[in-house]
Amino acid sequence: MNPYYFASIALILIGLYAVLTKRNVLKILVGLSIMETGVNLLLISVGYVSGRSAPILSEGITPDRAVDPIPQALVLTAIVIGVATTAMALSVVINLYERYKTLNVEEIRRLRG
Amino acid sequence: MNDWVAIFITALMVISAIFAVEWRDLLAAVIGMAAVSLFASIAFFFLQAPDVAMVEAAIGAALSAAVFIFAIKRTERYESEEEGTGWWARW
C-alpha cells in the first residue's frame, strides 16, 4: 500500500483537529493550511502510477509511459487558490486584532457588538 | 529502497504537522507548517510531479510562511494559556 495515502489522510485529520479544537485564530489558519497540503498530496498520489515518469514530452517518453497529468494541473491551480485565501484570511485576522486586541475566538465572540 | 525513502518522508511530514499544531509559540508553529510544505514538495518530486514540487516549494514553504510571519509581527506571538480551570472559566 502506498504510504502517501496514509500521510495525506493523516495531514487532513491533523488540520481538522486544529480547526475544531484550537482557540487562537492564527493556529486555526495554520491547521487550515496543513489540511490544504494534505488534500493536494492526496490528489497527486491518486494520479501516480508506479514505475512511470513525469508527464513531460521528451526523448523516449510516450504518453503511455507517463503518470496522469490532469491531477497535477488541478493541484497547481489549488495551491494558488489556497495561498490567496490564506493571505486574505490573514488580513482579516490583522483587522480583528486591531479592533479587539485579542486573538482568542471566544473572547472575540463575547466582545462582539 | 525507494519505498523506504517514501515512508521516511511521509513520517517526517506527519511529525512536523503534529508539532506545528501543538507548539504554543506561533512563530515555531509557522516554521513547522513550512517544514510540512517542504516535505510535501519532496514527496511531489518523488511522485513524478516536478512542476507541482517547484510551485509548492516556492509558494507553500516560502511565500505562505513569510505572509504568516508578517501577520504575527502585526499581532501577538504567543498563544495564551488558559487551561487547567475547567469549562466555566472560559465563559
Side-chain angles (χ1 to χ4, degrees):
Chain A
M1 191 69 183
N2 205 340
Y4 295 107
Y5 288 135
F6 293 108
S8 52
I9 298 294
L11 284 189
I12 293 170
L13 289 181
I14 290 166
L16 193 65
Y17 165 77
V19 170
L20 289 181
T21 63
K22 298 296 173 185
R23 296 193 193 91
N24 193 306
V25 191
L26 278 171
K27 189 57 82 62
I28 289 174
L29 283 181
V30 167
L32 210 61
S33 184
I34 287 174
M35 195 154 55
E36 177 211 324
T37 306
V39 171
N40 290 338
L41 188 63
L42 182 62
L43 277 174
I44 286 288
S45 58
V46 162
Y48 177 67
V49 184
S50 181
R52 296 195 183 181
S53 67
I56 299 170
L57 193 60
S58 59
E59 201 73 34
I61 303 297
T62 51
D64 59 338
R65 284 192 196 163
V67 299
D68 196 358
I70 292 176
Q72 302 189 3
L74 227 117
V75 166
L76 216 56
T77 312
I79 288 173
V80 179
I81 294 174
V83 75
T85 53
T86 302
M88 200 200 69
L90 284 172
S91 69
V92 172
V93 167
I94 290 174
N95 274 328
L96 274 179
Y97 186 77
E98 284 177 354
R99 179 162 178 181
Y100 294 122
K101 297 297 174 199
T102 180
L103 284 180
N104 194 326
V105 283
E106 297 189 350
E107 288 183 28
I108 288 172
R109 189 183 301 144
R110 192 170 58 209
L111 290 172
R112 186 183 57 196
Chain B
M1 183 260 174
N2 214 353
D3 294 340
W4 290 106
V5 173
I7 291 171
F8 184 63
I9 293 294
T10 51
L12 277 177
M13 193 157 46
V14 172
I15 288 168
S16 47
I18 291 171
F19 277 138
V21 167
E22 287 303 324
W23 271 329
R24 304 192 77 88
D25 187 356
L26 287 171
L27 209 54
V30 170
I31 298 302
M33 194 197 71
V36 172
S37 283
L38 182 68
F39 293 127
S41 167
I42 299 171
F44 288 151
F45 188 74
F46 279 115
L47 286 171
Q48 303 292 332
D51 45 354
V52 184
M54 280 192 292
V55 170
E56 179 76 26
I59 285 182
L63 183 66
S64 182
V67 174
F68 263 100
I69 286 170
F70 282 135
I72 289 172
K73 191 181 170 190
R74 294 287 296 275
T75 60
E76 56 193 20
R77 179 173 167 178
Y78 293 99
E79 199 175 350
S80 59
E81 311 260 352
E82 80 276 357
E83 305 297 331
T85 45
W87 59 271
W88 59 86
R90 292 194 256 121
W91 285 67

